[in-house]
Amino acid sequence: DAGVTQSPTHLIKTRGQQVTLRCSPKSGHDTVSWYQQALGQGPQFIFQYYEEEERQRGNFPDRFSGHQFPNYSSELNVNALLLGDSALYLCASSLRRGGRYEQYFGPGTRLTVT
Amino acid sequence: AQRVTQPEKLLSVFKGAPVELKCNYSYSGSPELFWYVQYSRQRLQLLLRHISRESIKGFTADLNKGETSFHLKKPFAQEEDSAMYYCALRRGQAGTALIFGKGTTLSVSS
């Protein structure tokens, strides 16, 4: 099991553009959470998906949206990119059924907005 | 509002010295507290959770509700302990988000 995988590894975009980041959860996991980690900061929760629906959301604008597919993989979309969106984006998966909820993190996608 | 504070950005110790990484939180309910670790060029991984009350790699952490603290301790630091350590809180409801502190870099030198 490769664990949580994310693609791409690095991405450079221009202000105003749109970006899509992808995440495949650990085998057997059904819940995906997305975090933004700015330089020198801890990860900050963006939102969480379970059963293809957004279940919880952090303090992020509507420019940040997501999707979960039937195979539990997920996408994070950011529209109208700002310079401040430059960060490491982490995906974490967990198993909601069974009650453990321990989150396993992916390696992240480094987004640079110029 | 829920908040996790790690007051030290960097903690430098010598091999064999005791280590204490501080974590304070603010939350009015019954939180779950975690320590995550990130070694160089590796992904973030869970080190400890308070409900397990276990020792991992010689590290322990006790939840002190009176002082709202969850400090991470190890009696004798090893060079391989050098990493970034994050304290995180989850509200006492299943499946809710993790709230992280800013992290502390632990540097252990010989």
Side-chain angles (χ1 to χ4, degrees), chain A residues 45-85:
Chain A
F45 176 72
I46 303 174
F47 44 53
Q48 184 181 84
Y49 276 84
Y50 171 67
E51 290 187 336
E52 302 178 50
E53 288 189 19
E54 184 182 293
R55 298 292 177 170
Q56 191 178 2
R57 189 179 184 93
N59 189 25
F60 278 80
D62 292 345
R63 297 187 297 109
F64 289 77
S65 63
H67 189 79
Q68 185 180 34
F69 300 93
N71 66 353
Y72 307 118
S73 67
S74 177
E75 287 182 349
L76 163 65
N77 301 293
V78 187
N79 294 322
L81 284 166
L82 304 174
L83 294 179
D85 295 332

Side-chain angles (χ1 to χ4, degrees), chain A:
Chain A
D1 179 18
V4 179
T5 59
Q6 293 186 241
S7 64
T9 305
H10 297 90
L11 204 51
I12 299 174
K13 290 286 189 178
T14 304
R15 269 181 303 175
Q17 286 188 317
Q18 179 265 343
V19 69
T20 298
L21 310 181
R22 294 176 176 82
C23 171
S24 290
K26 182 177 168 64
S27 178
H29 283 184
D30 57 9
T31 302
V32 172
S33 301
W34 286 92
Y35 293 82
Q36 181 195 65
Q37 187 173 19
L39 203 60
Q41 304 292 317
Q44 189 173 357
F45 176 72
I46 303 174
F47 44 53
Q48 184 181 84
Y49 276 84
Y50 171 67
E51 290 187 336
E52 302 178 50
E53 288 189 19
E54 184 182 293
R55 298 292 177 170
Q56 191 178 2
R57 189 179 184 93
N59 189 25
F60 278 80
D62 292 345
R63 297 187 297 109
F64 289 77
S65 63
H67 189 79
Q68 185 180 34
F69 300 93
N71 66 353
Y72 307 118
S73 67
S74 177
E75 287 182 349
L76 163 65
N77 301 293
V78 187
N79 294 322
L81 284 166
L82 304 174
L83 294 179
D85 295 332
S86 295
L88 181 68
Y89 288 84
L90 296 171
C91 169
S93 73
S94 54
L95 178 61
R96 195 178 185 96
R97 294 189 298 271
R100 277 196 60 82
Y101 307 106
E102 178 179 335
Q103 296 194 20
Y104 289 78
F105 283 83
T109 294
R110 173 74 62 188
L111 172 64
T112 302
V113 182
T114 62

